[in-house]
Amino acid sequence: MTFKDKIKFVRQNMKKNRMRIFMTVLATAMASAFLIVLASVGFGLHDTLLKDIMEQDTINEISIYGYENEAEYREINDQDISYFETLDNVRSVTRRNYLAQAIHYQINGFELSNEYSESQFVHFPSEQKAGMTLAEGDYPSKANEVVVGYHFVDQLLPTGLDPEEVYDEQGNRNAGTLFTEDIIGQTLSFEIEKYDEDDNVETKAFEVVVVGVTEEPSREWAVDTTIYMSELFQQEIEAFTEARNGNPYAFEVTDQEAERTYEIVKIYTHSLQQVEDLTTHLSEENYYAYSVANEIRQINMLFSIAKAGLIFIGTIAVLIASIGIFNTMTMAVTERAPDIGIMKAIGANPKTIKQIFLLESTYIGMIGALIGTAISYLISFAVNLGIPLILEAVFDDQLPEGLKFSSIPWSLVAIAITICLVVTIISGSRPAKKATQIDVLKAMRRDI
Amino acid sequence: MITVKNLSHHFEMGKKGQKTILPVLHDINFSVEAGEVVAIIGRSGSGKSTLLNLISGFIRPVSGQIIINHTEVSTFTEAQFADFRLDQLGFIFQNFQLIPSMTAYQNVELPLILKGMPEKDRQALTKQTLARVGLGQFHNHYPSELSGGQQQRVSIARALVLNPPLILADEPTGSLDSETEASLLDFIKQLNQELGITFLIITHDKEVAKIGNRTIELQDGKLIEGGQLS
Ligand SMILES: Nc1ncnc2c1ncn2[C@@H]1O[C@H](COP(=O)(O)OP(=O)(O)O)[C@@H](O)[C@H]1O
Ligand SMILES: [Mg+2]
């Protein structure tokens, strides 16, 4: 019997009991739609999260937190930096240190306390190569020139202002408290302290000029209030404090601490793949290397588990639907026993009989799975459209853009159809086997 | 065409533990030559149908050999026997055994479908065979829309369509009136003469048995008269 004839035969048989077949297909479709929609939430949220990560500026960067082997732990030093710069695919290696004192800045009648701002010593050429861009002005060319973060100006308050008066009742800044002049060319004055063993303090006044403002960070919520100082200026401060990074307690510094090390070291590559490879490589060389590649790997693992769990729950629904298929096929075999008997009598091979019934249950499963897939695309679409509206109405809050609750990739469709087919074939196999065992003589006597 | 050697059969009945054995056939030996029409006659319950069912492979003998067309069939697996039936045997049953949900055409076409013949070839052959049994006008009739004689002709067409060398018939006229019976017997005779098909026909009716070139009689499971006696 040719495959085409088998299909034709199966379709004719299915037409004999449309209602029963329809209900069985419906149950299968609902089960597979349940499976797909359930798992699609895992896929959707995973996609959203990954997309979010991919949009970060940090996608091509690796943070290095130090070096540790069996013998020692140490911070990253100039030798390490030079080594990183020799590695393949490295675009830039940035290194920064914090100014190790709480500074109070004065700027043209305004002030800034260090609580709201960080002062960092940076290596501008590598920062530039790594992608630091300026919204205004230029990079420093002299020791006493600095670049400030995009939000730096917002942190400035008139000198001596009562903190109560900064905001009005609505929580907006009072107009008079804003620094409205051009920040470029302004002079920041501050004092650096230095203590001796007896707690005697010596102070020295410094002045720096703002020559540039960094670009606004690409993520809406990120705030950059940093004051970026050059390495030349770092040397001036260190000349006074006689300790690294303006540490005011020079007398406490050990030999080891006296070496030039960097607190914030980042390696920039060209692609996420390179980030992944390099992170692995550096970890193997005993550096503490962290990048989004690690994060992505963890997220992927977490979501793989979540997706597997959701698919498992969905599969239970398909298994329940398969009881219906089993039932339908058992009834079909019983009803058609006389016909099967005749077919066997005139020479139908038991294998053919089995294939016909397996084909019928597969057909039901297949149609069910396809209808289920179509339904789940509709539900998924509705969910992605509806849930944000509901959430926004309930919580009165704007949801992040591009948030997707449900996503149905082809792989999920393939998984669902495969599960459906496997389950239906299994549930159809017993009735099919029963069909092959029908006794010709009993069937022809019509007493089955 | 058929050789039956030392064929014995019994049925086991009852539940386990208290089984009773019902002997049906005792050491049957006979043979049928190609081109013959042989009638097996005997009273109801003498084991005729059992003998034919053994030859057809619907049941398996307790002991003995059956050779059809030079092939030892008694050792076949179920699947082998099915293929053999499709290739070599045609069947005519007392109550026709047509599939009620299929038209006359579809019933006759069924063996060709099982054989895996392409649709184009099937059409010509099915039409031709239905015409041969005189039912050229009844393609689209369902069995319930045909008389007993017409139904039996459809079943003969189904038996003929793959052109088997041997046709087995169990009480082929059992459900027909005497007039229809006569024309059916004539038709069988005609098929035997024109196509050279060998027939093994079972009947309890001495009149019907006259169609045979030769008659074999079964009495209580033993061959007592006919061509070759055991
Ligand atoms: N499947 C069966 N199980 C038990 N006994 C059977 C079975 N088939 C037939 N018999 C018995 O075997 C004997 C012969 O039956 P059968 O071959 O049908 O006779 P006939 O066709 O000559 O009337 C009868 O006694 C019948 O009751
Ligand atoms: Mg009988």
Side-chain angles (χ1 to χ4, degrees), chain A residues 282-315:
Chain A
L282 291 171
S283 299
E284 281 165 2
E285 294 198 332
N286 295 330
Y287 288 101
Y288 284 111
Y290 186 86
S291 65
V292 283
N294 306 51
E295 204 179 324
I296 288 173
R297 209 173 300 143
Q298 279 171 14
I299 288 174
N300 284 350
M301 199 169 78
L302 204 78
F303 271 92
S304 297
I305 295 168
K307 287 172 190 171
L310 293 174
I311 288 173
F312 176 77
I313 295 170
T315 304

Side-chain angles (χ1 to χ4, degrees), chain A residues 175-391:
Chain A
T177 68
L178 292 167
F179 188 89
T180 49
E181 285 171 65
D182 186 3
I183 189 73
I184 303 282
Q186 299 286 347
T187 303
L188 287 172
S189 343
F190 56 95
E191 284 180 342
I192 295 285
E193 296 175 331
K194 177 188 175 184
Y195 291 83
D196 66 12
E197 286 102 323
D198 305 321
D199 225 16
N200 297 319
V201 61
E202 186 186 340
T203 60
K204 183 175 178 186
F206 286 86
E207 281 190 348
V208 292
V209 179
V210 177
V211 294
V213 179
T214 62
E215 196 90 57
E216 186 175 9
S218 63
R219 324 213 60 196
E220 298 154 28
W221 45 261
V223 173
D224 184 5
T225 61
T226 313
I227 300 164
Y228 300 97
M229 298 169 166
S230 69
E231 289 180 323
L232 284 173
F233 189 66
Q234 182 181 20
Q235 286 162 20
E236 277 183 22
I237 288 183
E238 285 174 350
F240 168 65
T241 60
E242 295 168 338
R244 294 292 181 199
N245 303 323
N247 180 352
Y249 307 105
F251 62 91
E252 287 180 348
V253 174
T254 62
D255 284 353
Q256 199 197 357
E257 282 166 5
E259 188 195 14
R260 161 77 69 224
T261 59
Y262 299 94
E263 288 169 84
I264 311 170
V265 176
K266 287 179 178 170
I267 299 176
Y268 291 81
T269 65
H270 303 278
S271 71
L272 183 60
Q273 184 57 48
Q274 291 170 358
V275 164
E276 261 191 80
D277 297 344
L278 206 56
T279 307
T280 316
H281 176 71
L282 291 171
S283 299
E284 281 165 2
E285 294 198 332
N286 295 330
Y287 288 101
Y288 284 111
Y290 186 86
S291 65
V292 283
N294 306 51
E295 204 179 324
I296 288 173
R297 209 173 300 143
Q298 279 171 14
I299 288 174
N300 284 350
M301 199 169 78
L302 204 78
F303 271 92
S304 297
I305 295 168
K307 287 172 190 171
L310 293 174
I311 288 173
F312 176 77
I313 295 170
T315 304
I316 294 174
V318 177
L319 285 173
I320 293 170
S322 80
I323 297 173
I325 295 181
F326 177 83
N327 205 18
T328 297
M329 293 314 297
T330 306
M331 284 172 80
V333 169
T334 310
E335 273 175 10
R336 279 177 234 149
D339 297 1
I340 296 164
I342 294 169
M343 286 174 66
K344 283 180 82 173
I346 63 172
N349 199 299
K351 220 166 76 191
T352 310
I353 307 271
K354 187 172 178 176
Q355 282 165 357
I356 287 171
F357 281 95
L358 273 183
L359 206 61
E360 184 164 335
S361 57
T362 310
Y363 203 86
I364 292 173
M366 191 75 196
I367 294 179
L370 290 180
I371 293 177
T373 304
I375 293 174
S376 32
Y377 270 107
L378 288 178
I379 294 179
S380 170
F381 181 75
V383 161
N384 285 331
L385 204 71
I387 289 204
L389 291 180
I390 293 169
L391 288 184

Side-chain angles (χ1 to χ4, degrees), chain A residues 1-2 4-6 8-9 12-13 16 338-340 342-352 356 436-441 443-446, chain B residues 53 58-59 78-83 85-86 89 91 93 95 97-102 106-107 109-111 113-119 122 158:
Chain A
M1 200 166 176
T2 62
K4 200 178 131 209
D5 282 323
K6 279 178 198 159
K8 218 169 119 186
F9 195 83
Q12 271 168 6
N13 280 336
K16 285 177 198 159
D339 297 1
I340 296 164
I342 294 169
M343 286 174 66
K344 283 180 82 173
I346 63 172
N349 199 299
K351 220 166 76 191
T352 310
I356 287 171
T436 66
Q437 289 165 343
I438 284 171
D439 184 81
V440 174
L441 294 174
M444 292 202 303
R445 253 184 264 128
R446 316 261 146 147
Chain B
N53 289 337
F58 299 152
I59 47 177
E78 207 192 325
Q80 282 174 320
F81 225 132
D83 292 342
R85 280 200 292 272
L86 189 61
L89 305 179
F91 293 93
F93 304 99
N95 37 17
Q97 304 294 358
L98 299 174
I99 294 183
S101 60
M102 291 184 177
Q106 288 170 329
N107 267 289
E109 189 191 22
L110 188 56
I113 292 177
L114 291 175
K115 189 87 187 129
M117 193 180 278
E119 171 124 41
R122 293 204 302 254
R158 183 180 64 188

Side-chain angles (χ1 to χ4, degrees), chain B residues 44-45 47-50 94 170-171 202:
Chain B
S44 183
K48 306 183 297 294
S49 292
T50 303
Q94 176 175 352
D170 190 348
E171 309 271 8
I202 280 179

Side-chain angles (χ1 to χ4, degrees), chain B residues 181-215:
Chain B
E181 174 180 300
S183 78
L184 188 86
L185 292 175
D186 281 348
F187 188 59
I188 287 176
K189 202 88 200 156
Q190 190 190 330
L191 289 173
N192 170 254
Q193 277 156 14
E194 287 176 12
L195 302 175
I197 298 174
T198 311
F199 280 87
L200 184 61
I201 297 170
I202 280 179
T203 181
H204 63 277
D205 187 334
K206 290 231 156 65
E207 285 302 308
V208 174
K210 280 182 187 156
I211 187 187
N213 316 113
R214 194 150 64 81
T215 313

